[in-house]
């Protein structure tokens, strides 16, 4: 949440592009794919069979990045080579039994099932691990391995870098202001309105002031909520509704299934020192000019600092102005 970035000239976004164009994947229109590892009743890559589930389905990742036992890893405490063993659990969460039903195409009631599954998983894994990272990689260009709507959960015995930085920044702010940074920030954004995308009774969606991806957004509850497990019934309902609105608008920008990586950040578990935290979700979509041209974080961005091709105010207006009716539902 801190740092510097450049906002280049207004002509930057119109520069000629003869570079990489992403192929458009065929939209998945089949509710069941017999070759899909995630569809109900099918065999997964490890030969285990999925149950004939409806709604959401969670299973332990067959190819986990973090293992529950890392006793064969030797820690290194030397000055230049510091390492320590990481332990954890990785799970996959199928958002629907329907192969073709992305979150953007679900109604708020169906999205709410995903929200309650996220909450249940966080509550369960948070009893063992301080950090439970819930995320979704959507779309081939974000490295998603399967079009069946799904996300992942990685729980770990350590706080990864991004939440660790957020923890420190929010703590520093709280020490001085005695109020959560993100709630103060949201109050200012709500007054300014220029970066707000949409809101309802208990949630707001906005393009953050510091956004680096063209259509980056954040979801923030309007009232103090430290962890996803703390959401009350009306906040869960409103979250499902605002996700529905945001994701339909996202798909409508380029009339395509909008790719992104998204995930939840909230107070770490197994600690009581959490007054400074405010729950929020980050959405990082890569598309920029069209359904086939994405933003690359390269060159100056890798070697200098992030620069933006469109302003966050313009991005917010573009998202905000999209219809709430999914482009596939509109009459020709
Ligand atoms: P991504 O699409 O974001 O890569 O997530 C899919 C995850 O599903 C991935 O981590 C797991 C992969 O390891 N997976 C299984 O656990 N079993 C399977 O049969 C297929 C994929």
């Amino acid at each position: 949440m801190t740092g510097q970035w450049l906002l280049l000239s207004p002509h930057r976004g119109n520069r000629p592009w003869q570079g990489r164009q992403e192929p458009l994947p065929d939209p998945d229109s089949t509710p069941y794919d017999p070759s899909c590892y995630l569809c109900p009743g099918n065999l997964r890559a490890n030969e285990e069979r999925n149950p004939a589930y409806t709604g959401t389905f969670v299973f332990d990742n067959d190819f986990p990045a973090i293992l529950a036992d890392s006793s064969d890893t030797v820690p290194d405490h030397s000055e230049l080579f510091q390492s320590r063993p990481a332990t954890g659990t990785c799970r996959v969460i199928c958002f629907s039994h329907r192969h073709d039903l992305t979150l953007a195409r679900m109604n708020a009631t169906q999205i709410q099932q995903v929200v309650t599954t996220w909450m249940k998983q966080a509550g369960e894994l948070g009893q063992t691990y301080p950090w439970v990272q819930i995320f979704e990689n959507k779309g081939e260009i974000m490295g998603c391995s399967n079009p069946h709507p799904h996300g992942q959960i990685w729980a770990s015995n350590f706080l990864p870098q991004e939440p660790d930085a957020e923890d420190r920044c929010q703590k520093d702010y709280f020490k001085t202001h005695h109020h959560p940074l993100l709630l103060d920030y949201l109050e200012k954004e709500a007054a300014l309105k220029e970066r707000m995308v949409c809101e309802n009774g208990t949630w707001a969606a906005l393009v953050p002031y510091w956004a680096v991806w063209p259509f980056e957004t954040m979801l923030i509850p309007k009232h103090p909520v430290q962890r996803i497990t703390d959401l009350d019934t009306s906040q869960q309902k409103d979250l499902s509704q605002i996700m529905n609105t945001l994701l339909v608008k996202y798909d409508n920008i380029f009339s395509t299934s909008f790719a992104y990586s998204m995930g939840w950040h909230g107070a770490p578990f197994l600690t009581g020192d959490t007054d400074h935290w405010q729950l929020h979700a980050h959405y990082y979509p890569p598309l920029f000019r069209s359904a086939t041209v994405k933003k690359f974080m390269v060159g100056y961005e890798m070697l200098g600092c992030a620069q933006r091709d469109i302003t966050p105010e313009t991005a917010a207006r573009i998202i905000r102005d999209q219809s709430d009716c999914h482009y596939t539902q509109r009459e020709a």
Side-chain angles (χ1 to χ4, degrees):
M1 289 188 203
T2 57
Q4 296 177 39
W5 61 92
L6 291 183
L7 184 56
L8 296 184
S9 83
H11 308 295
R12 175 82 183 151
N14 298 326
R15 67 195 189 281
W17 184 259
Q18 295 178 318
R20 167 88 184 165
Q21 305 259 340
E22 304 298 326
L24 271 181
D26 291 335
D28 271 288
S29 54
T30 168
Y32 169 74
D33 176 353
S35 66
C36 169
Y37 292 125
L38 305 182
C39 274
N42 288 3
L43 280 184
R44 295 210 302 276
N46 71 346
E47 303 285 302
E48 204 169 312
R49 190 171 290 283
N50 295 326
Y53 68 93
T54 52
T56 61
F57 167 54
V58 180
F59 62 92
D60 285 336
N61 198 312
D62 301 314
F63 309 93
I66 324 175
L67 299 172
D69 179 17
S70 63
S71 50
D72 55 350
T73 313
V74 184
D76 191 338
H77 300 297
S78 61
E79 190 182 357
L80 296 180
F81 299 92
Q82 300 191 0
S83 65
R84 59 198 159 98
T87 57
T89 298
C90 297
R91 292 180 180 167
V92 179
I93 155 171
C94 300
F95 296 150
S96 168
H97 55 282
R98 283 263 310 264
H99 185 77
D100 57 343
L101 200 62
T102 61
L103 284 166
R105 306 295 313 280
M106 289 184 193
N107 60 37
T109 311
Q110 291 164 321
I111 296 175
Q112 202 169 335
Q113 278 192 31
V114 176
V115 171
T116 47
T117 308
W118 281 336
M119 292 174 66
K120 188 164 170 273
Q121 289 296 316
E124 193 183 309
L125 292 164
Q127 290 183 12
T128 309
Y129 297 105
W131 191 249
V132 181
Q133 185 58 63
I134 294 170
F135 64 96
E136 178 191 5
N137 291 324
K138 178 171 175 251
E140 284 177 15
I141 61 170
M142 289 310 283
C144 181
S145 62
N146 186 318
H148 192 112
H150 69 280
Q152 296 193 48
I153 306 166
W154 294 17
S156 60
N157 67 337
F158 64 95
L159 207 52
Q161 277 167 6
E162 291 290 323
D164 185 53
E166 289 190 6
D167 187 52
R168 281 185 278 109
C169 292
Q170 290 178 100
K171 196 178 272 181
D172 286 350
Y173 184 91
F174 194 84
K175 265 186 209 149
T176 317
H177 301 271
H178 312 290
H179 205 252
L181 182 159
L182 283 174
L183 284 175
D184 285 356
Y185 169 68
L186 179 57
E187 198 181 303
K188 292 214 182 306
E189 290 287 21
L192 288 167
K193 295 207 180 326
E194 56 190 358
R195 284 177 293 271
M196 295 291 281
V197 172
C198 50
E199 59 183 308
N200 59 30
T202 60
W203 284 84
L206 53 86
V207 178
Y209 181 71
W210 54 85
V212 292
W213 292 94
F215 295 105
E216 180 176 334
T217 56
M218 260 178 111
L219 296 181
I220 315 180
K222 291 181 171 177
H223 308 291
V225 180
Q226 294 173 356
R227 301 187 177 107
I228 197 167
T229 45
D230 299 334
L231 294 172
D232 66 23
T233 316
S234 70
Q235 287 165 334
Q236 292 168 41
K237 203 161 170 264
D238 283 353
L239 169 58
S240 314
Q241 188 265 318
I242 204 165
M243 281 177 61
N244 181 235
T245 305
L246 176 68
L247 299 180
V248 166
K249 286 180 182 294
Y250 264 166
D251 275 13
N252 284 342
I253 296 175
F254 297 125
S255 298
T256 192
S257 182
F258 208 62
Y260 56 74
S261 266
M262 71 78 65
W264 287 97
H265 284 165
F269 292 93
L270 308 177
T271 171
D273 181 15
T274 56
D275 287 349
H276 50 289
W277 266 94
Q278 177 68 356
L279 174 74
H280 57 278
H282 296 280
Y283 280 84
Y284 299 124
L287 290 180
F288 166 37
R289 292 153 181 260
S290 70
T292 56
V293 179
K294 71 171 190 170
K295 175 173 175 67
F296 289 91
M297 290 281 188
V298 292
Y300 191 85
E301 281 142 336
M302 291 178 110
L303 297 157
C305 63
Q307 61 87 24
R308 289 206 285 242
D309 302 271
I310 54 171
T311 66
E313 297 77 31
T314 304
R317 182 181 44 73
I318 292 171
I319 309 171
R320 197 168 53 226
D321 287 353
Q322 299 303 317
S323 166
D324 292 331
C325 175
H326 198 268
Y327 69 93
T328 56
Q329 302 294 309
R330 278 184 239 143
E331 285 172 36

